Amino acid sequence: MSSEQDIVERLAGCGLRVTRARRAVVRALLESEGALTPAQACECARRHWPRIGLVTAYRTLELLAQLGLARRVHAADGCHGYTRASAGHHHNLICQRCGRVVEFEGCDLSALEQRVASETGFAIHTHILELTGVCPLCQNTDAGRRS
Amino acid sequence: MSSEQDIVERLAGCGLRVTRARRAVVRALLESEGALTPAQACECARRHWPRIGLVTAYRTLELLAQLGLARRVHAADGCHGYTRASAGHHHNLICQRCGRVVEFEGCDLSALEQRVASETGFAIHTHILELTGVCPLCQNTDAGRRS
DNA sequence: TTGTGTGCAAAATCTTTGCACTTCG
DNA sequence: CGAAGTGCAAAGATTTTGCACACAA
């Protein structure tokens, strides 16, 4: 997973400014175990930079997502959450009980993609893949308690 | 793909009423090649039942999704669209140019799921998978024209 | 006939935009 | 200093809710 330092360097490398507000959003994402909506990210970021506004949370999450430093989480109930993202091709594994998000890599869908491509005639470019289940902590906890 | 008749029977079988508004939304979904947002579904459904209101489109799509007769489409720009869904475990293949949605089946992720489960300790219950690419029609059309 | 389902209007949310002020580089 | 970035307030969308009426069963 990227560190705050990595992200700061990445921003600077793109000619983007490293502001307090952006740092605060980045920290919120790194600290959170689960996905954050813009409103939640704003709230968490305020711990680091109280003056941050909701609009900046929206803009910063969108920016981080474009840079590949954050990723939208597609849950059954919507896709308004963002989570930190490592460099490279990764996917998310989400705990349906506590919301924790863990990354994994090494999805090998090329065989599937080839089969579907030849069956449908589509040229397949990319995919969305997310696994959902129950994390070890929640398994050890009798049904339903939150982390 | 389910026919209108199948869907009607499914509704009736659940003790739900088969109203004109519901039929109109079902037809809108079946006629559309791509995913429909509630607003779009409402507009299309009006061709069959002009008095339908937007609220009913929301409620009906949600209802159909719960019955497994419709499915949310998770695109990069959001997940506010619904598409028709066949019975059983299927996934969507989406044309990034014209928006056409095609179903496919036979995703075999069990090996991947087992590997990730043992690496992370999660008990994996389900997954979201969508492929994105360019459909045959759009491939034959010089960049960018819509169907 | 009866109660589920509907449409409408209004409320509640969520998201984007415009603009003057800050602040990073 | 200069321009990118921010916060605020307001506008725009989207989604939900309350309620009287309609209409499948």
Side-chain angles (χ1 to χ4, degrees):
Chain A
M1 190 181 83
S2 308
S3 68
E4 181 177 345
Q5 194 51 39
D6 293 338
I7 295 176
V8 164
E9 283 167 14
R10 181 72 194 290
L11 286 171
C14 295
L16 294 165
R17 295 193 178 169
V18 180
T19 63
R20 296 233 198 188
R22 284 179 180 167
R23 268 181 194 277
V25 171
V26 166
R27 284 191 196 166
L29 278 181
L30 292 176
E31 285 167 6
S32 170
E33 305 255 288
L36 297 175
T37 61
Q40 292 168 326
C42 179
E43 192 187 341
C44 296
R46 268 195 230 276
R47 261 185 262 129
H48 303 290
W49 184 236
R51 309 180 36 191
I52 192 173
L54 178 58
V55 177
T56 300
Y58 272 94
R59 292 192 276 223
T60 303
L61 290 171
E62 163 81 15
L63 176 72
L64 293 173
Q66 281 180 6
L67 295 176
L69 300 170
R71 225 194 315 274
R72 263 175 194 274
V73 171
H74 296 268
D77 60 327
C79 54
H80 305 281
Y82 290 82
T83 184
R84 59 226 131 74
S86 304
H89 186 73
H90 289 254
H91 291 285
N92 291 326
L93 169 57
I94 300 146
C95 176
Q96 61 201 184
R97 208 167 289 165
C98 71
R100 183 189 316 276
V101 177
V102 172
E103 286 186 313
F104 67 90
E105 56 187 324
C107 67
D108 185 11
L109 299 183
S110 54
L112 172 66
E113 291 185 355
Q114 266 177 36
R115 204 200 78 222
V116 173
S118 71
E119 283 174 13
T120 62
F122 271 61
I124 297 181
H125 292 166
T126 181
H127 56 252
I128 292 177
L129 171 64
E130 280 182 12
L131 302 183
T132 304
V134 179
C135 74
L137 289 173
C138 289
Q139 287 172 50
N140 291 332
T141 306
D142 302 341
R145 248 184 57 201
R146 309 278 152 152
S147 65
Chain B
M1 190 180 83
S2 308
S3 68
E4 180 176 348
Q5 195 50 39
D6 292 338
I7 294 176
V8 163
E9 282 167 15
R10 180 72 193 288
L11 286 170
C14 294
L16 295 164
R17 296 194 177 167
V18 179
T19 63
R20 296 233 198 187
R22 284 180 179 165
R23 268 181 194 277
V25 171
V26 166
R27 284 191 195 166
L29 279 181
L30 292 176
E31 286 168 6
S32 171
E33 305 254 288
L36 297 176
T37 61
Q40 292 168 327
C42 179
E43 192 187 341
C44 296
R46 268 195 229 275
R47 261 184 261 128
H48 303 289
W49 184 237
R51 306 180 39 193
I52 192 172
L54 178 56
V55 177
T56 299
Y58 272 93
R59 293 192 274 223
T60 303
L61 289 171
E62 163 80 15
L63 176 73
L64 294 173
Q66 281 179 6
L67 295 177
L69 300 169
R71 226 195 314 275
R72 264 175 192 272
V73 171
H74 296 267
D77 61 327
C79 54
H80 304 280
Y82 289 82
T83 184
R84 58 223 132 72
S86 305
H89 186 73
H90 290 255
H91 291 285
N92 291 326
L93 170 55
I94 301 146
C95 176
Q96 61 201 183
R97 208 167 289 166
C98 70
R100 184 189 316 276
V101 176
V102 172
E103 285 186 314
F104 67 91
E105 57 188 324
C107 66
D108 185 11
L109 299 183
S110 53
L112 173 66
E113 291 185 356
Q114 266 178 37
R115 204 200 77 222
V116 173
S118 72
E119 283 175 13
T120 62
F122 272 60
I124 298 181
H125 292 167
T126 181
H127 56 252
I128 292 177
L129 171 64
E130 281 182 12
L131 302 183
T132 304
V134 179
C135 75
L137 288 173
C138 290
Q139 287 172 50
N140 290 334
T141 306
D142 302 342
R145 246 182 60 201
R146 308 281 150 151
S147 67

